[in-house]
Amino acid sequence: MLIDRIEAQKNPTKHTLVAIVENKPGVLTRVASLMRRRNFNIESLAVGTTEDPSISRMTIVIDASKTNAALVERNLYKLVNVIDVQDLTDVPSVVRELALIKVRISDAQHRGEIKQIADMFQSRVVDVAKDSCIIEVTGEEQKVDSMLRVLEDYGILEVVRTGRIAMARG
Amino acid sequence: MKLTGAQIIWESLLQQGVEVVFGYPGGAILPTYDALVDYQDRIRHVLVRHEENAAFAADAYFRATGKVGVCMATSGPGALNLVTGLANAMMDSSAVVAITGQVASHLVGTDAFQETDVTGVTLPITKHNYLVMNVEELPQVLAEAFYIARTGRPGPVLVDICKDVQQKMTDYEPITEVKLRGYRAVKPMGKQNLPLLLQRAKELIDNARRPIILAGQGIKHANAHEEFREFVEKSGIPVATTLLGIGVLSEDHPLNLRMMGMHGEAYVNMAIANADLLIALGMRFDDRVTGNLKTYAKNARVIHVDIDPAEINKNVPADVGIVGNLKDVLRQLTPMIEKRSYPAWLEQINEWRADTQAHDIMQVEFPDHTLLAPHVMRMIWEETNGECTVCTDVGQHQMWETQYFLHKRKNQLITSGGLGAMGFGVPAAVGAKLGRPQDEVWAIVGDGGFQMSIPELATIVQEKLDIKIAVINNNYLGMVRQWQELMHNKRYSAVEMWTPDFVKLAEAYGICGLRARTRSEAREAIRIAREHEGPVLIEFQVEKETNVFPMVQPGKSLNEMTRRPIIQPAALGGGMDFLK
Ligand SMILES: Cc1ncc(C[n+]2csc(CCOP(=O)(O)OP(=O)(O)O)c2C)c(N)n1
């Protein structure tokens, strides 16, 4: 473990693993339990259905400076309900995250500015109230991060991020 | 054919070839025990005295026979009592199927009487587990459970079955094929280029000058003894084994250096520390085997073959890592390598070995009243011609057994390795004796571990099992006392043990009880025990404060062992201080 960890520290990238799993009760628990038991650190975990109702897809992001991604991959692979695991880190792929951001509006002028910012990030204002609005943004995490930085000055009231989902290109 | 869930359980067990079930009944498993009445003529149910021992016995049964061990318990407390045994089977890769009753499906999640989330509790200590809430799924699930338990890297599988599922009827057809989408017995990551990896392994072997094979239990599971022996003899490479790998090659084979690691003999660890190539076969570089990883076999390249992809590169990085069944891998690798021998390397190892022999306490002529645990191990070995099956408990006696008993066969020694679970020895002997009734079976246990399994004496008597029990009584939790002596300045804390009169205790169970205080009494007692038909308990009162050496203390490198002191017979006389 130690030697692998040192190896991992040299390569401080985020790893994206995709696990194709059987859509059965308890599978998420099995994956979560594995992460805890092996002391693996995960940044995000997103689960959803696929084109096949009997299969779910998990996208797991690992900070390789803390955790050996190859070991995570192999241990996931061992689970009886896991059909396949792919490491998309070095594979050309589409990576997305969705976030909802609730921003404070303290005067009418802000409303226009926020609309403009949303446009610049190709995102949408999906709810408007008297003193706040909600923006929906999709993109790679960096895009969400920079949008959050820009909106900070107005006052961010609430944020929810889905965590990364990914798919290999082609 | 319409059957109840309970009948389906027994039919499935019969179909899987199960002959013995270790279990304990209770409310949520009652329908299954009711159905047992009609199957008793075909399946032997062994009523243990604590469910933990059902799991231990099932584990040992697997090790003794290679057939899946089965244990059974009721919901809640019954299932929870299996937990240590399941963890033991998980750590030591034993194929065990545990069947537990669960509250009726409509009560699941309501904190019903004796309801415990058993699949939740056992998730990290089983290879896989199931909660069955529909009787229609039951045949398939049971077939899957056996398949998963015994294939690939074996392990325990638990099937938790709701009480109403046991009662409901459904059509039953024996399941002949198991289809699992995500599970394959051998499942390398992605595509493995085996020919290329084998070629690289061959090159490493060709270029090695001080190679050593590290042999583990995976060889047993792959049933690859013959292939392994051929590989060893053709390659000419010496072998060190793990605790569970003991017996993969007869311990009197000239190339078998025997056990490595924390209490391995010094020359074995020296050979590993100085090797330029480690060929690790079916072992997992446990910390008890490697010592400090930073300094472990510093100059060695590593070939690692294991069926479990997650073991490769876990603790020790491999230059060549192969995921596969050892029988297949060795069949391909052996023809590729050259027939060789390593005279200079073996001579070096023999030099270290001579030094070890100088430290051997068997060389010392003690007075007759000095009875040491190693003497007992050696005498049992001698008296049984090294043929008996030994089940040990955990502690000093376990390590002395490995040092002073030479094993010839696989699974001649059945012991709790990865979990180190005290209380394993006696129930393991129950499982082993039922699996190999023709074998002479000895349970060698400490006074501490034995007191965890005394209730199983009743099982032994009830089942008429001819088991010989050697209780090594040092009136201490010996191994813990040793650590306190060596690492905590001899501040003994909660290690002194009062023990009952074990001879009277045995007699209370109707078991022949003997006591030995000297070496001649010890030999005599072993002889009497072997001649006596039926179970015998011998209490060996051994020197109280002796230590197991050599010892690689935690965090130390393999070659920084605390050695056995050299004892001059002339120094004898004043107590046992020289052994500390
Ligand atoms: C269930 C359990 N509890 C505690 C331990 C810690 N432990 C390891 S060895 C040992 C002492 C065993 O004493 P005894 O059975 O008398 O055997 P000895 O070491 O004296 O041969 C203990 C307490 C353990 N391994 N298992």
Side-chain angles (χ1 to χ4, degrees), chain B residues 65-288:
Chain B
T65 62
K67 287 170 55 179
V68 179
V70 180
C71 55
M72 194 174 271
T74 191
S75 69
L80 290 172
N81 277 347
L82 292 176
V83 164
T84 307
L86 293 175
N88 193 65
M90 184 70 176
M91 277 294 232
D92 286 355
S93 308
S94 288
V96 168
V97 168
I99 294 174
T100 50
Q102 181 54 279
V103 299
S105 55
H106 69 277
L107 291 173
V108 167
T110 66
D111 302 322
F113 177 64
Q114 292 192 329
E115 180 188 3
T116 303
D117 173 11
V118 172
T119 40
V121 168
T122 59
L123 191 102
I125 51 161
T126 50
K127 185 172 173 187
H128 196 56
N129 63 20
Y130 295 89
L131 169 61
V132 185
M133 298 177 72
N134 296 305
V135 70
E136 292 77 25
E137 296 172 18
L138 187 58
Q140 184 66 38
V141 164
L142 287 168
E144 286 178 17
F146 276 87
Y147 181 74
I148 293 171
R150 71 165 185 267
T151 55
R153 179 175 179 173
V157 179
L158 177 133
V159 186
D160 199 23
I161 307 172
C162 288
K163 187 169 184 179
D164 54 324
V165 170
Q166 300 166 45
Q167 290 160 327
K168 280 190 189 133
M169 305 268 281
T170 190
D171 277 322
Y172 173 73
E173 283 293 329
I175 306 283
T176 48
E177 202 188 351
V178 174
K179 278 198 218 98
L180 287 156
R181 268 171 117 167
Y183 180 82
R184 263 165 290 142
V186 187
K187 199 175 163 190
M189 286 301 303
K191 285 187 204 75
Q192 175 172 266
N193 188 341
L194 188 57
L196 181 76
L197 292 174
L198 288 170
Q199 184 57 33
R200 285 210 196 125
K202 173 200 153 51
E203 281 160 19
L204 286 180
I205 294 171
D206 283 349
N207 291 320
R209 297 171 59 195
R210 296 183 311 280
I212 185 162
I213 296 168
L214 310 180
Q217 183 178 224
I219 295 165
K220 299 181 192 173
H221 289 153
N223 228 331
H225 304 79
E226 272 312 300
E227 289 79 3
F228 178 62
R229 197 177 44 77
E230 278 164 29
F231 175 72
V232 171
E233 286 172 359
K234 184 166 179 198
S235 68
I237 301 175
V239 178
T241 68
T242 64
L243 173 62
L244 298 184
I246 285 176
V248 294
L249 186 68
S250 178
E251 289 194 294
D252 53 18
H253 191 287
L255 284 171
N256 192 348
L257 306 179
R258 306 184 62 212
M259 191 178 80
M260 60 183 140
M262 183 175 270
H263 293 294
E265 293 295 352
Y267 65 92
V268 190
N269 289 336
M270 289 300 284
I272 295 168
N274 288 283
D276 66 353
L277 176 65
L278 308 181
I279 307 171
L281 304 177
M283 56 83 76
R284 60 185 176 86
F285 290 108
D286 180 84
D287 55 280
R288 287 293 192 265

Side-chain angles (χ1 to χ4, degrees), chain B residues 394-397 420-422 446-450 452 474 476-480:
Chain B
V394 170
Q396 291 184 311
H397 66 280
M422 281 171 72
D447 51 310
F450 179 60
M452 290 192 179
N474 52 14
Y476 273 116
L477 293 172
M479 189 56 99
V480 178

Side-chain angles (χ1 to χ4, degrees), chain B residues 408-423:
Chain B
K408 297 181 189 168
R409 296 176 278 118
K410 75 160 172 173
N411 287 328
Q412 187 175 3
L413 168 63
I414 296 178
T415 194
S416 168
L419 193 68
M422 281 171 72

Side-chain angles (χ1 to χ4, degrees), chain B residues 436-578:
Chain B
R436 296 190 197 145
Q438 306 309 327
D439 275 20
E440 177 176 344
V441 174
W442 281 77
I444 302 183
V445 297
D447 51 310
F450 179 60
Q451 289 184 79
M452 290 192 179
S453 34
I454 288 173
E456 294 311 317
L457 293 179
T459 311
I460 290 173
V461 174
Q462 186 166 345
E463 298 293 328
K464 300 191 173 56
L465 300 175
D466 185 353
I467 293 171
K468 315 300 180 195
I469 303 170
V471 181
I472 311 298
N473 189 0
N474 52 14
N475 285 100
Y476 273 116
L477 293 172
M479 189 56 99
V480 178
R481 186 207 55 73
Q482 172 168 346
W483 283 48
Q484 289 178 350
E485 178 185 330
L486 299 178
M487 286 167 251
H488 297 271
N489 280 326
K490 208 170 176 177
R491 281 161 59 92
Y492 288 169
S493 176
V495 288
E496 227 181 310
M497 272 219 146
W498 175 88
T499 52
D501 182 332
F502 287 124
V503 173
K504 278 197 186 141
L505 180 88
E507 282 162 3
Y509 281 92
I511 292 176
C512 165
L514 304 166
R515 181 174 293 116
R517 295 187 189 84
T518 65
R519 291 214 310 292
S520 46
E521 281 177 16
R523 196 173 290 278
E524 186 61 19
I526 294 168
R527 288 189 179 149
I528 294 172
R530 296 192 70 227
E531 274 160 26
H532 181 85
E533 254 179 65
V536 178
L537 182 154
I538 313 174
E539 177 190 357
F540 295 94
Q541 288 186 345
V542 297
E543 291 296 335
K544 292 185 192 307
E545 292 182 70
T546 58
N547 293 332
V548 184
F549 292 122
M551 179 178 189
V552 181
Q553 298 203 12
K556 290 274 167 59
S557 304
L558 262 196
N559 53 349
E560 297 178 274
M561 288 153 285
T562 313
R563 299 290 302 273
R564 249 178 232 125
I566 296 187
I567 303 160
Q568 301 298 342
L572 291 174
M576 286 289 123
D577 282 350
F578 51 85

Side-chain angles (χ1 to χ4, degrees), chain A:
Chain A
M1 194 71 96
L2 186 84
I3 293 158
D4 278 350
R5 289 226 169 108
I6 294 167
E7 202 56 45
Q9 275 156 14
K10 284 192 230 142
N11 182 18
T13 55
K14 289 198 178 167
H15 274 247
T16 309
L17 300 182
V18 169
I20 310 294
V21 305
E22 289 183 278
N23 182 9
K24 285 191 174 164
V27 176
L28 179 59
T29 319
R30 287 179 198 281
V31 171
S33 158
L34 168 71
M35 300 297 167
R36 181 188 48 75
R37 168 166 106 249
R38 296 267 176 208
N39 203 14
F40 294 150
N41 238 301
I42 47 177
E43 302 260 302
S44 72
L45 170 71
V47 199
T49 52
T50 64
E51 72 286 356
D52 178 345
S54 67
I55 283 178
S56 306
R57 190 174 164 116
M58 295 186 185
T59 312
I60 301 165
V61 180
I62 288 151
D63 183 346
S65 66
K66 297 187 191 123
T67 293
N68 179 340
L71 264 189
V72 180
E73 191 181 350
R74 292 195 210 108
N75 275 286
L76 275 173
Y77 203 63
K78 264 173 73 171
L79 295 179
V80 169
N81 300 119
V82 173
I83 299 168
D84 195 17
V85 189
Q86 300 153 7
D87 187 342
L88 293 187
T89 314
D90 299 320
V91 177
S93 43
V94 179
V95 173
R96 288 292 178 271
E97 177 176 36
L98 184 144
L100 297 176
I101 307 165
K102 188 183 276 179
V103 191
R104 172 177 295 129
I105 298 176
S106 31
D107 66 58
Q109 194 197 328
H110 283 171
R111 193 167 285 143
E113 288 174 20
I114 286 168
K115 174 79 177 81
Q116 271 183 347
I117 295 169
D119 288 344
M120 281 189 290
F121 279 95
Q122 292 177 315
S123 59
R124 296 193 301 147
V125 176
V126 290
D127 179 67
V128 183
K130 206 165 81 189
D131 49 9
S132 70
C133 69
I134 299 176
I135 301 168
E136 174 200 312
V137 56
T138 349
E140 303 201 2
E141 287 104 315
Q142 296 92 310
K143 175 174 163 185
V144 179
D145 291 343
S146 36
M147 185 159 194
L148 282 169
R149 271 196 298 276
V150 174
L151 291 173
E152 226 162 50
D153 294 343
Y154 296 90
I156 294 171
L157 299 172
E158 249 182 275
V159 178
V160 58
R161 303 172 71 149
T162 57
R164 185 187 293 188
I165 57 169
M167 194 176 272
R169 290 181 188 273

Side-chain angles (χ1 to χ4, degrees), chain B residues 15-38:
Chain B
Q15 198 208 336
Q16 296 291 341
V18 174
E19 290 168 19
V20 188
V21 171
F22 304 91
Y24 209 98
I29 192 88
L30 264 183
T32 300
Y33 273 86
D34 180 66
L36 169 62
V37 174
D38 303 322

